[in-house]
Amino acid sequence: MPDSGTWSTGLQEPAAAVLPVVPDEVHGTRRVVLFGPPGIGKTTAAGALGRRLGLPVLRMAPGPQDTRVPYTGLLELALALQPLPAARELAAALDEAVGDPDSPDGAAASLRLRRLTAALLQEAPPVTLVVDNAQWLDAASAAVLRWALRLAPDLPVIATERTWRPEAGGHWSGEEAYAVRLPALTEHQMAILLSPYRPTLREVAWLHTRSGGNPALALALAEACGRTVGLPTVQDPEDEPVLPPRARQLVGEWLGTVTDDVQELLTLAALDDRPDLDLLTRLVGPAAEHLLAQAEAAGLIDPARSDKQVRFTASAVGAELATRIPDTARRLLHARLAEASHDSVRRDRHATLAADTADPRTARHTARAAARAAGHARLRGEHPLAAELSLLAAQRTPREDTGLLTERALTAVRDATHCGDLPRGRAAARLVLEHDNSPAQRVTALLALLDASGQRLHSADELFADAIHESRGRPDLTARILLRQAVWANVSEGAPEQASALAAQAADLAQAADDTTTAALALTMQARVQRILGHPEAEATLERALSLPRTALVPANGTPEHLAARHALFDDRPADARTTLLPLLVQAQRTGDAEAHVDVLRSLAETELRAGRCAKALDHARRAQALSDKAGLSPGPACYTSALVEGAASRADTALAHARRGIDACRQEDNRVFLSRNLFALGHLLLAAGRPKDALEPLEEVRALETLQQVRDPSVLRWHADLAEALVAVGRLDEADDLLADTHRTATDLDRTCVLPALERTRALLDATRGDYDTAARRLTDTADHLRHLPLERGRTLLALSHTERRGRRRASARAAARSAADLFTAHQAHPWADAAARALHRLEPHPTEDGTRPRLTTAEERCARLAAAGASNRDIAAVLTISVKTVEATLTRVYRKLDLHSRVQLAHAVARALE
């Protein structure tokens, strides 16, 4: 039996989303077995492969009822080929085939059936035999077909089965049958499959996790919504596990491919939040590993990993296992898990779920244990587990303990917010609204729900109205609501003037109520929007916010200090920004607020990038991206930062993928603020890659969005110079001239001198395009001198100077500028820019002479090259030659360029020949 292959799916449009492409290994193979769980697309794949072979398809489809009835498969084959004489003869023989096959008469009948089946297959016209759901083919028919198919080696046979169980001697369709496991759909493929429902990226991700990429299961989950446009938000935790009927049927069929013992073990795994082999072995003994192997073969769990954790392929499988058992049985299983668990927090979780909450004393005890365990989980950084335990503590608190219930429910909302668990946040908020009549607590719950929901909430207006109603006569509460409305107006509605007015009103009410914490936050929001609008009082408003004391812990990304750091970044003061951000990073890490942590990491990444510390910027950006994805936050913000940093410090293709993902997410979430930013990142990357025509469209959309959002300050998002450069490159010079003039005028009026160097760089490119190379070179030289504190911007300006000098036929000056840019980019580990500078320098370096010799190296270059070729590190070379490491890096860059090499391995092979 050959090794199993894999089945790839090529998806370009919704109708093709479940039409697998025939793998290359199958071409020319006459016998193929497709296997995989129910709903994975075996029937569709078999049909597609049959059509690909170019022959009519003869389909057999045995059902569960046929398994125990001998020869039903052969009868179906005979009836399908009824017009043929051999088919009629086989059908008659089947009517006579009675008795025990082991008796002499039975054996003779079996031999006759084999002969007639072989004759029928040889007499049949050219077809492809497809046996769908071959796991239900009766054993008698399989035995006859195994023998008869050996006599028809040219007949293509495609069998589909739910699991692959190779028998001794090979598969009945042929000893050389090629087994292909159908894979699950990727998230992108699932988005195409579900496109008629117009799901958001978050909904696609949820359905992909829920279905494990099983197309039929995903469609059953989506169709259960009862809507043709838009999928509902994920339900609350107590509602979510209940699958719709069709989905339950599919999962039940999938579970039916394994034994009851396997299902019992998987049920135990479904009831634990992090099941592993050790835990399951303590529960059922050494057989656990063998049972898990069967579950893995059926595709129910992912292949075993080094951490031995058991992960369901589709979370719907675990949900079905957990909900199909009665409450009493479920509590008993949780009790078993509590005894077997070696982790105190998870032991408390299972003990809480095992308890009978009908007894108030038991309920109070388990609620206390759950609250205590939630605190331990929180300290360990396991915020999803903390959110679950906090909600359990609130749900099991007796209703007469209203104050304690509210306190625990609000804690659950905060825990859910930290890890982006909107369903649990909603459930906890609902507990407060149902059992506490205090306006302060009710407003706190509503605001916590708004904070937890972010861009995913579609009923914000109703919640705001409800909160305003609850806060009547309480200016302190009203101020908190107005502050949230200001944030919503700015981010979700792109209305900064409205946001500024709401924030100012919130600040006044909060100060009147002596709530200095809310007043500081409101003034921070007002200053943020004022900066966007170009109001001169923005810094004064921020100073007022910084001066107010705060009596409550504020998320790090909402503090005036964080905004001050952002303003320092806008003003090209990265050192000041970094000094302010580092303590905020510590605060965000300690509080466990995922969104605040991501925002501070993003700010640090952009700060380090502006300062030219690319390696640190890359580390911060990747941490922010990983945390954002793990916490289920909106992808837009982290993708924007990742695109900028990856594009400058690592790989352009990775950066482009981040920008496009951010654009898709922001369009679906209607987040105009970060849609602008991700579009800018995309245009900037395309421009840097030498694709100005492609860059023009996203950059022009940025201009339209910024105009719509009334963004006047050009330092907040610096798209202006890039758009002007793209316009120059495509020959729209007058438009570029107007844009540069308008932006220069605005920047001067607002005293945003930090924007001017980039405008001057593009103005120089415009001068060069019009033939004034002297003015362009002078302008670029002056601009580079003003950018010594921003190494990447200086390097980019030097690279532009090199291009300009080259166009002016001043090759020596062009080489000097390109070499300086390359050295600068290399020293700061801006690898994509360093590659661009190296390519520019390579075009300017002297070419090999007519006799093929390479340019000679200088004495310093030769010494560095010899040491590097011998395996010495840059630090070792610097120590031997008593020079700095940066000098070594710059020297080796020139060596690589001269010798047209790209690595030390190439240098080791080429240096001896080049130095002769």
Side-chain angles (χ1 to χ4, degrees):
M1 182 73 199
D3 292 340
S4 296
T6 58
W7 196 267
S8 60
T9 51
L11 311 174
Q12 299 300 325
E13 51 191 44
V18 290
L19 291 180
V21 175
V22 178
D24 293 338
E25 297 88 343
V26 173
H27 291 304
T29 304
R30 288 292 179 180
R31 308 292 161 83
V32 179
V33 181
L34 309 178
F35 67 100
I40 201 66
K42 299 183 295 296
T43 300
T44 305
L49 179 55
R51 290 189 296 273
R52 188 75 172 268
L53 295 176
L55 296 174
V57 171
L58 178 63
R59 183 172 179 270
M60 296 169 55
Q65 69 280 0
D66 300 327
T67 304
R68 295 182 176 85
V69 181
Y71 301 124
T72 51
L74 287 183
L75 180 60
E76 185 177 1
L77 176 65
L79 293 175
L81 295 170
Q82 188 64 39
L84 299 177
R88 292 193 296 271
E89 189 175 356
L90 176 59
L94 288 170
D95 289 338
E96 299 172 5
V98 294
D100 183 359
D102 293 331
S103 68
D105 291 340
S110 178
L111 288 174
R112 184 186 178 203
L113 290 176
R114 294 187 182 194
R115 177 179 59 78
L116 292 174
T117 302
L120 174 61
L121 294 177
Q122 291 168 350
E123 182 181 330
V127 295
T128 296
L129 176 61
V130 173
V131 183
D132 204 9
N133 283 320
Q135 73 273 2
W136 290 323
L137 182 66
D138 64 280
S141 295
V144 172
L145 285 170
R146 177 195 295 272
W147 185 87
L149 286 171
R150 288 204 303 266
L151 303 182
D154 294 331
L155 174 66
V157 179
I158 304 171
T160 73
E161 300 184 3
R162 291 186 170 177
T163 55
W164 173 244
R165 298 188 180 93
E167 307 169 10
H171 194 264
W172 60 263
S173 63
E175 295 179 4
E176 299 301 318
Y178 192 91
V180 179
R181 179 193 291 272
L182 295 187
L185 298 183
T186 66
E187 200 166 308
H188 173 66
Q189 293 166 343
M190 183 156 289
I192 298 173
L193 173 69
L194 299 174
S195 59
Y197 298 93
R198 302 181 188 176
T200 65
L201 292 179
R202 190 179 304 279
E203 289 163 344
V204 170
W206 180 81
L207 284 167
H208 187 265
T209 300
R210 195 82 166 137
S211 67
N214 185 303
L217 182 53
L219 287 170
L221 292 168
E223 289 166 357
C225 305
R227 295 159 58 181
T228 57
V229 178
L231 295 171
T233 320
V234 179
Q235 300 300 309
D236 291 328
E238 57 265 34
D239 301 327
E240 180 187 351
V242 180
L243 301 178
R246 175 57 183 153
R248 293 198 71 180
Q249 179 186 349
L250 280 167
V251 173
E253 292 176 6
W254 195 350
L255 289 167
T257 61
V258 295
T259 64
D260 291 343
D261 289 341
V262 175
Q263 293 186 45
E264 182 181 349
L265 183 71
L266 292 180
T267 301
L268 289 166
L271 295 177
D272 193 77
D273 70 312
R274 290 184 62 185
D276 57 29
L277 177 59
D278 293 338
L279 173 65
L280 297 177
T281 300
R282 288 195 294 274
L283 287 164
V284 303
E289 190 167 2
H290 175 66
L291 296 174
L292 288 175
Q294 294 181 46
E296 182 181 327
L300 289 163
I301 62 173
D302 288 335
R305 303 187 182 188
S306 57
D307 59 6
K308 298 182 180 180
Q309 283 199 11
V310 177
R311 296 177 176 85
F312 286 100
T313 306
S315 67
V317 172
E320 172 63 11
L321 286 166
T323 55
R324 62 162 48 174
I325 54 177
D327 290 344
T328 302
R330 187 184 307 112
R331 288 201 302 272
L332 290 173
L333 291 179
H334 277 298
R336 288 179 59 190
L337 284 160
E339 293 177 3
S341 178
H342 286 178
D343 182 289
S344 61
V345 174
R346 286 175 171 80
R347 187 162 53 246
D348 286 341
R349 172 184 178 268
H350 287 300
T352 301
L353 292 167
D356 184 356
T357 56
D359 177 17
R361 180 178 299 179
T362 302
R364 284 191 175 90
H365 173 74
T366 56
R368 282 196 301 271
R372 182 180 62 249
H376 293 318
R378 200 177 302 118
L379 289 173
R380 294 193 326 198
E382 296 188 59
H383 299 292
L385 180 57
E388 180 189 7
L389 288 164
S390 294
L391 181 57
L392 286 172
Q395 289 170 332
R396 279 152 176 74
T397 301
R399 298 301 177 256
E400 56 268 23
D401 298 341
T402 304
L404 185 57
L405 186 151
T406 299
E407 177 187 340
R408 287 172 174 169
L410 291 175
T411 300
V413 173
R414 288 190 289 271
D415 283 334
T417 302
H418 287 172
C419 60
D421 191 340
L422 177 58
R424 285 197 169 87
R426 284 177 167 172
R430 191 168 62 223
L431 280 174
V432 178
L433 297 175
E434 290 174 352
H435 300 288
D436 197 320
N437 294 322
S438 164
Q441 301 291 24
R442 294 175 67 83
V443 169
T444 299
L446 290 167
L447 294 180
L449 181 56
L450 283 162
D451 292 341
S453 302
Q455 295 295 318
R456 291 165 284 176
L457 192 63
H458 302 292
S459 56
D461 291 340
E462 296 176 18
L463 280 177
F464 279 128
D466 194 0
I468 289 289
H469 175 76
E470 295 288 348
S471 68
R472 286 177 301 178
R474 291 286 301 272
D476 56 331
L477 298 179
T478 304
R480 294 166 61 191
I481 299 165
L482 291 173
L483 173 57
R484 268 42 170 225
Q485 285 183 306
V487 174
W488 191 266
N490 183 50
V491 175
S492 299
E493 299 179 5
E497 288 284 5
Q498 180 187 0
S500 180
L502 288 167
Q505 187 180 354
D508 291 342
L509 285 173
Q511 286 187 297
D514 200 26
D515 182 355
T516 55
T517 300
T518 300
L521 295 178
L523 289 169
T524 300
M525 182 64 202
Q526 186 182 7
R528 184 192 308 275
V529 181
Q530 285 175 337
R531 176 77 187 233
I532 291 171
L533 295 169
H535 289 180
E537 62 269 24
E539 295 305 318
T541 304
L542 180 56
E543 287 299 325
R544 286 176 58 200
L546 288 165
S547 68
L548 289 176
R550 275 158 270 158
T551 58
L553 185 64
V554 175
N557 60 333
T559 60
E561 287 80 9
H562 185 257
L563 183 60
R566 295 295 302 178
H567 284 193
L569 180 60
F570 297 158
D571 295 335
D572 285 344
R573 294 183 285 112
D576 293 343
R578 186 174 185 271
T579 300
T580 305
L581 287 168
L582 288 175
L584 294 177
L585 179 61
V586 174
Q587 176 186 332
Q589 290 171 328
R590 287 178 177 173
T591 59
D593 188 326
E595 186 171 358
H597 196 175
V598 168
D599 278 350
V600 176
L601 283 171
R602 287 182 47 249
S603 294
L604 271 170
E606 293 171 35
T607 296
E608 300 290 18
L609 185 67
R610 191 71 59 87
R613 290 186 281 267
C614 291
K616 288 185 177 180
L618 199 59
D619 177 62
H620 290 316
R622 288 176 175 172
R623 286 169 61 191
Q625 188 71 62
L627 181 57
S628 177
D629 291 343
K630 181 180 179 182
L633 301 177
S634 172
C639 283
Y640 163 64
T641 302
S642 294
L644 288 184
V645 175
E646 293 277 354
S650 183
R651 293 172 57 95
D653 54 348
T654 303
L656 286 167
H658 282 301
R660 289 179 173 126
R661 180 190 174 202
I663 290 168
D664 290 342
C666 291
R667 287 197 197 281
Q668 294 202 7
E669 295 174 348
D670 198 25
N671 185 334
R672 299 177 186 178
V673 172
F674 278 96
L675 176 58
S676 291
R677 280 154 176 72
N678 280 283
L679 284 166
F680 161 67
L682 178 62
H684 173 79
L685 292 165
L686 292 170
L687 188 64
R691 298 164 57 187
K693 289 183 180 179
D694 295 332
L696 201 55
E697 182 178 350
L699 290 172
E700 287 188 315
E701 187 175 354
V702 172
R703 174 164 59 180
L705 283 167
E706 295 287 282
T707 301
L708 183 65
Q709 296 172 89
Q710 307 168 52
V711 180
R712 185 164 182 259
D713 192 322
S715 69
V716 175
L717 187 64
R718 302 187 188 183
W719 53 268
H720 315 75
D722 280 358
L723 175 55
E725 185 175 336
L727 290 169
V728 169
V730 299
R732 292 159 60 178
L733 305 186
D734 291 342
E735 289 182 57
D737 201 343
D738 291 343
L739 175 59
L740 290 170
D742 290 344
T743 308
H744 192 286
R745 189 180 310 111
T746 301
T748 303
D749 291 345
L750 297 177
D751 195 24
R752 300 291 183 248
T753 57
C754 54
V755 176
L756 301 181
L759 299 177
E760 285 294 289
R761 180 175 62 230
T762 306
R763 173 69 68 183
L765 297 177
L766 181 59
D767 292 338
T769 302
R770 288 170 169 167
D772 191 351
Y773 300 113
D774 291 339
T775 300
R778 185 168 58 253
R779 196 187 296 273
L780 288 168
T781 301
D782 292 342
T783 299
D785 288 340
H786 283 97
L787 289 170
R788 293 187 181 277
H789 64 303
L790 301 175
L792 300 192
E793 286 298 303
R794 174 175 165 80
R796 189 176 172 187
T797 304
L798 289 170
L799 191 55
L801 176 60
S802 173
H803 294 323
T804 300
E805 295 284 51
R806 180 170 177 260
R807 293 176 66 185
R809 299 183 183 279
R810 294 190 284 260
R811 295 182 67 85
S813 298
R815 275 197 302 274
R819 185 175 293 111
S820 297
D823 292 346
L824 198 59
F825 289 135
T826 301
H828 290 275
Q829 297 178 289
H831 301 300
W833 282 111
D835 292 342
R839 288 192 295 271
L841 190 56
H842 181 71
R843 289 193 296 268
L844 293 164
E845 290 288 357
H847 295 290
T849 59
E850 293 182 359
D851 60 0
T853 60
R854 293 279 185 181
R856 294 188 62 82
L857 303 180
T858 65
T859 302
E861 290 168 348
E862 179 179 335
R863 294 175 68 190
C864 273
R866 286 187 182 278
L867 290 169
S873 67
N874 288 1
R875 191 174 297 278
D876 292 336
I877 297 172
V880 171
L881 301 180
T882 62
I883 57 177
S884 70
V885 174
K886 287 186 177 179
T887 302
V888 172
E889 292 171 347
T891 304
L892 287 176
T893 297
R894 293 195 298 273
V895 170
Y896 288 143
R897 195 178 304 119
K898 284 186 176 182
L899 301 182
D900 195 22
L901 304 175
H902 303 286
S903 68
R904 292 203 177 201
V905 174
Q906 292 178 329
L907 180 63
H909 289 298
V911 70
R913 183 175 66 254
L915 297 177
E916 290 176 353

